[in-house]
């Protein structure tokens, strides 16, 4: 039986009420500085804390007289597998010197860091300080009170080895809007100094850019290095106040990323927030700054985008336009921040992590786990550790149920959803990690759900669009992110301290029971089911139903579910096309199209094929079959006459294999992107690098370097993979026409097949249609619509 919790609010938001903390710096020596906003001013407070480490046992502790400053005590509860001891010292290095010699003797191997040992667990110095003090960022603050500064560089070339910075646009949330300029290349050093001086003068809490981790900051760092100018952007003096790299290691699918930190201020790349917003839906066609601003309804940007490779040329001809464009950019960054960063701001008010890390961290490992560790630290209880991870323990969770009842086109579609299904099941049935002897996990989820409901209610009664309403919505959104990560944490395996695949399976098994009940209740009422999973159930209703009737049906079905499980009406749509599970397109009643799933919208698709599929789906959802067929024939004609450029036909992909890995597998299977690089003479590349390539007439795969003025590829540049050079995509047209004709038909047109009867599909989409007969088919062509049978519609009304 889990021990009772005296104050779960402390576990959720910390126990120290210190308000208005906007930044924290700490090091392993036990020193910390805390910046707070007091009376409109920033004050800096010096603090001391004792670095700490959890340990499974004290056996390695080498305790001569030199280490009298080390204290350790046994924590309550837990078992031999858990971290049952807490060591603290005047400095973290003192702890390492006391532990590592004994551990090295025990393991008979040299050791340099405690992080090499699974028997010890700790976190970074800022997290240690926040956990040991119970403090969090931003208590008592609204997002509008955070002092944010936006910046954007204008450069003569995208390569810092040959280009230089000639202008920096700057604005902040306190009313500043200005341009810093260098009239000659020799003035660049002074420009960088002026930028640093302006930041020191304005003293913002956060620096914000768009793609700044991939473009602006690496460029600024390199130019400052070449010019010998220190980048004094932080709140500390000397080297400690300079911009620092914070490299994130490469994973199997993502290249190593360079992020930046500076003592005393957060650095936020708003592009990353845009990525996260669009990750699940892939609605946005482009992530370029102007495109993102337009998508979110920001109206401060004017005119045509000016791309990085020719902005200096434009400046020499029309300087006023370039200056206005640069200021528009930083205004757009501010607008996107106001829309997208409120949730991260709210999360930083709960988790013991600095704002810049909370904003970029995964909500499971980066937010929820530090909160769990803080709870055990506060309770003086042994920190749980999942069972020893043998191969048997590394199995994956079975996952939730997914059903595709019938693919194709449907009208009058309704979506219902069990609100926060996994978290609701966790709290209703008490499903959490078996080794969580304090019961922290379930109680944290329950408390967050209660708080989120409170914020949602407060947002509804607040004045629409007010600062209070926006803050409540942001707090609700932040809580939702963490709540929904709870299942992923349970199923995380080796990565998570309290991972429990058995608990994850119990959770998904119970979700199947509830989902199946919803499905059967809808089926018994005559609805035509389309697809269902943990994210919701899509079904069609009778054609003449009003919204209030749809809502009443969902409420009726919800009333049959267990107490504590709430079924919500989530949306209604004029039409839906379902290709595969979680791959569908929706048409709203006001004419907007929503595409979900990489099967229907993928960043790796050649642009011509992606445009074809998007336009065809839009016609299909409106029932305009003639337009779909016409679009297909027009695309065939463009390919046959080589009207498409190489940029139009080039595929884009991320590399998942190193050069060595690919060479070892090449004899079994040759893959296009790697062959293209090898054909270009490249023998080395990075995992995660983005590559464009096309299939040439001679059968070879050809690498097509990214063009600086390619809007979508400028996104890649923001991720650090841009390649400077002149694209040949507009001049050459040596692609394999037959290959791309086959690709269009067999890959992209095929994804529309479920909208038609088999015989109609074959007749309508012949590559060489027979005149006369084809026109007759075309004039009578109809899509195959999934509908509620008349008898079922009558039954539903009864």
């Amino acid at each position: 039986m889990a021990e009772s919790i005296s104050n779960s609010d402390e576990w959720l938001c910390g126990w120290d009420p210190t308000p208005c903390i906007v930044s924290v710096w700490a090091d392993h020596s036990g020193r910390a500085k805390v910046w707070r906003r007091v009376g409109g001013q920033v004050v800096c407070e010096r603090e001391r804390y004792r670095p700490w480490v959890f340990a499974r046992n004290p056996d390695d502790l080498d305790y001569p007289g030199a280490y009298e400053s080390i204290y350790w005590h046994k924590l309550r509860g837990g078992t031999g597998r858990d971290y049952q001891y807490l060591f603290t010292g005047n400095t973290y290095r003192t702890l390492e010197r006391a532990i590592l010699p004994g551990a090295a003797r025990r393991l008979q191997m040299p050791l340099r860091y405690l992080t090499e040992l699974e028997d010890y667990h700790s976190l970074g110095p800022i997290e240690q300080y926040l956990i040991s003090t119970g403090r969090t960022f931003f208590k008592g603050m609204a997002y509008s009170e955070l002092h944010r500064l936006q910046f954007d560089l204008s450069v003569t070339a995208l390569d810092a080895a040959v280009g230089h910075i000639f202008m920096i646009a700057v604005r902040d949330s306190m009313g500043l809007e200005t341009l810093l300029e260098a009239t000659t290349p020799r003035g660049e050093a002074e420009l960088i100094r002026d930028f640093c001086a302006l930041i020191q003068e304005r003293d913002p809490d956060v620096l914000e850019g768009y793609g700044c981790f991939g473009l602006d900051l690496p460029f600024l760092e390199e130019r400052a290095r070449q010019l010998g100018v220190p980048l004094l952007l932080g709140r500390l003096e000397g080297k400690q106040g300079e911009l620092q790299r914070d490299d994130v290691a490469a994973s199997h699918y993502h290249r190593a990323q360079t992020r930046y930190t500076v003592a005393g201020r957060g650095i936020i790349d708003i592009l990353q927030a845009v990525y996260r917003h669009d990750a699940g839906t892939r609605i946005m066609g482009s992530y370029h700054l102007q495109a993102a601003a337009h998508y979110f309804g920001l109206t401060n940007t004017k005119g045509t985008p000016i791309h990085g490779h020719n902005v200096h040329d434009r400046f020499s001809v029309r300087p006023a336009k370039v200056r206005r464009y640069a200021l528009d950019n930083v205004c757009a960054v501010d607008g996107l921040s106001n829309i997208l960063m409120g949730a991260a701001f709210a999360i930083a008010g709960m988790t013991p992590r600095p704002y810049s890390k909370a904003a970029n961290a995964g909500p499971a490992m980066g937010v929820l786990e530090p909160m769990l560790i803080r709870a055990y630290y506060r309770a003086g209880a042994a920190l749980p550790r999942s069972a020893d991870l043998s191969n048997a323990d590394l199995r994956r969770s079975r996952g939730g149920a997914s059903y595709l009842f019938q693919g194709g086109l449907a009208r009058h579609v309704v979506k219902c959803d069990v609100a926060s299904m996994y978290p609701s099941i966790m709290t209703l049935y008490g499903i959490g990690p078996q080794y969580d002897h304090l019961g922290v996990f379930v109680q944290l989820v329950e408390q967050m759900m209660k708080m989120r409901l409170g914020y949602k209610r407060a947002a509804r009664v607040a004045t629409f669009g007010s600062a209070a309403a926006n803050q409540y919505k942001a707090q609700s959104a932040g809580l939702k992110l963490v709540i929904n990560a709870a299942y992923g944490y349970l199923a995380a395996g080796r990565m998570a301290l309290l991972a429990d695949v058995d608990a994850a399976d119990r959770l998904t098994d119970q979700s199947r029971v509830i989902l199946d009940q919803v499905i059967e209740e809808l089926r018994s009422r005559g609805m035509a089911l389309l697809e269902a999973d943990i994210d919701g159930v899509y079904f069609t209703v009778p054609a003449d139903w009003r919204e209030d009737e749809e809502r009443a049906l969902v409420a009726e079905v919800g009333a049959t579910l267990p107490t504590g499980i709430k079924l919500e009406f989530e949306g209604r749509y004029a039409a839906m096309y379902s290709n595969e599970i979680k791959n569908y397109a929706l048409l709203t009643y006001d004419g907007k199209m929503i595409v979900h799933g990489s099967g229907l919208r993928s960043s790796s698709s050649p642009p011509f094929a992606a445009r074809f599929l998007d336009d065809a789906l839009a016609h299909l959802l409106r029932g305009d079959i003639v337009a779909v067929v016409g679009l297909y024939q027009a695309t065939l004609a463009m390919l046959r006459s080589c009207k498409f450029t190489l940029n139009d036909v080039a595929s884009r992909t991320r590399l998942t294999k190193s050069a060595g890995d690919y060479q070892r597998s090449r004899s079994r299977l040759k893959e296009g992107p790697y062959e293209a690089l090898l054909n270009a003479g490249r023998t080395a590349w990075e995992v995660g690098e983005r590559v464009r390539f096309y299939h040439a007439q001679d059968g070879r795969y050809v690498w097509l370097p990214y063009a600086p003025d390619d809007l979508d590829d400028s996104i890649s540049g923001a991720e650090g993979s841009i390649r400077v050079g002149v694209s040949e995509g507009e001049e050459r047209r040596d692609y394999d026409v037959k290959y791309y004709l086959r690709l269009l038909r067999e890959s992209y047109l095929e994804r529309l097949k479920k909208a038609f009867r088999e015989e109609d599909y074959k007749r309508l989409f012949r590559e060489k249609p027979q005149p006369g007969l084809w026109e007759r088919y075309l004039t009578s062509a109809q899509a195959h619509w999934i509908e509620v049978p008349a008898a079922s519609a009558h039954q539903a009304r009864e």
Side-chain angles (χ1 to χ4, degrees), residues 139 222 518 599:
K139 275 190 171 72
E222 177 59 20
V518 173

Side-chain angles (χ1 to χ4, degrees), residues 414 416 521-528 539-542 545-560 567 569 796-797:
V414 172
C416 64
E521 293 290 342
L522 290 169
R523 183 180 282 131
S524 70
R525 288 163 173 78
M527 301 301 107
F539 59 96
T540 63
V541 300
W545 272 29
R546 304 181 308 273
E547 182 176 345
D548 61 325
E549 294 177 286
E550 297 166 355
R551 289 182 177 275
L553 171 67
V554 173
E556 182 182 322
V557 172
T560 68
L567 188 68
F569 177 93
R797 283 208 182 275

